[in-house]
Amino acid sequence: MNEILNVIESSCIKISQLIKNSNSNELGSLANEYNISGDDVKKLDLMANEILKKDLSKIKIISCLGSEEDKNLVFLNNSGEYMVCFDPLDGSSNIDVNITTGTIFAIYKLENGVIKNGRNIVAAGYCLYGGSTQLIIANQEQVNMYQLINNQFQLIKDNLKIRNMGSIYAINEANKYIWDDYRYLKLVNNLIEKNYTTRWVGSLVADAHRTILKGGFFSYPSNKINPEGKIRLLYEAYPFAFIFEKVGGYSSNGKINLLDVDFPNDIHQKTTIILSSKFEFDIFSNL
Ligand code: AFP
């Protein structure tokens, strides 16, 4: 498995260099395509996808790859035990304004060629392309944070843990009149009464990363326009649920732990997502 992580690391360095050394107006321009989830595809999404697929396809222990940018799984080796899934460039609408984007990934151990749910993950993480490039890797034991310094990832914090309570909630409040579930509005009002403030970058990697470091509540609930939610289970929600569990936080689809949601066989399945520290999650759970 370390072999897979090493390759993802080096792919992320390539993607980071591409972002930092390119004209953001050009990287952010549309490639005249829609991906399978119906989002506009920017050029950088496609380039990041090619980098990851090319690099990972050399690894013999990988059975298949699942990417946000590809309609179907890409099968590599019949004898491979692992499935690697990724969102090559999360937050692509932020590329042309030079705001943090990221790569999200999960490594799944297959059971008889399939996965049951998020508990098949053996390692997951994300790379943030922001003011600096940082890589967060969670394995079964702990979550470590690395920073790209002189073109190498150096450990800057080991065994990350989330605090019990934060002071920020992150939710796209412009959707508040179309949320399917009244509890989100109640929670927001409750947190405002407690003097919480709001932050919404619009890149899951950035909003979730801040929640890990500062605590608080992050959610993208389903709504009338996105009845299944907007975040994809396999390469966004499951990996973050795994990371949150390992840092001592909480994840949910509004009903159960995201890791326990059965994998529905559609690699692009969407879900409601909640990622939170304990205090805010307890308030939500009691609404
Ligand atoms: P893009 O990759 O199309 O920018 O979408 C990013 C994303 O899937 C996720 O990273 C954000 O949390 C969410 O969308 C933001 O969605 P809104 O623009 O509807 O707030």
Side-chain angles (χ1 to χ4, degrees), residues 90-93 172 200 202-204 218 220 230-232 236:
D90 169 63
S92 39
S93 56
N172 187 341
W200 188 251
S203 294
L204 170 61
F218 167 88
Y220 203 111
K230 190 178 178 196
I231 302 303
R232 288 51 144 216
E236 295 180 317

Side-chain angles (χ1 to χ4, degrees), residues 32-46:
N32 290 330
E33 280 184 44
Y34 284 89
N35 68 13
I36 197 69
S37 300
D39 304 325
D40 289 336
V41 173
K42 306 281 189 335
K43 272 189 198 162
L44 185 61
D45 299 55
L46 299 178

Side-chain angles (χ1 to χ4, degrees), residues 23 43 59 70 73 98 154 158 160 168 190 208 213 268 277:
N23 175 334
K43 272 189 198 162
I59 302 180
D70 292 313
L73 291 175
N98 195 17
Q154 298 182 17
D158 69 344
L160 270 182
I168 295 171
N190 184 312
L213 296 187
H268 301 291
S277 47

Side-chain angles (χ1 to χ4, degrees), residues 176-193:
K176 69 181 172 186
Y177 299 120
I178 55 168
W179 287 333
D180 288 329
D181 186 333
Y182 72 96
R183 289 177 299 168
Y184 296 94
L185 197 50
K186 278 185 115 174
L187 180 79
V188 164
N189 290 336
N190 184 312
L191 294 178
I192 292 171
E193 277 167 23

Side-chain angles (χ1 to χ4, degrees), residues 109-126:
K109 181 97 193 281
L110 298 170
E111 289 172 46
N112 302 319
V114 292
I115 65 161
K116 186 175 181 304
N117 54 34
R119 304 226 174 257
N120 285 86
I121 293 181
V122 288
Y126 56 93

Side-chain angles (χ1 to χ4, degrees), residues 9 120 127 145 162 171 174 176 183 195-196 217 246 253 260:
E9 251 183 54
N120 285 86
C127 188
M145 181 172 173
I162 190 169
I171 196 163
K176 69 181 172 186
R183 289 177 299 168
N195 288 327
Y196 276 59
F217 186 88
K246 299 299 169 197
N253 67 351
D260 295 319

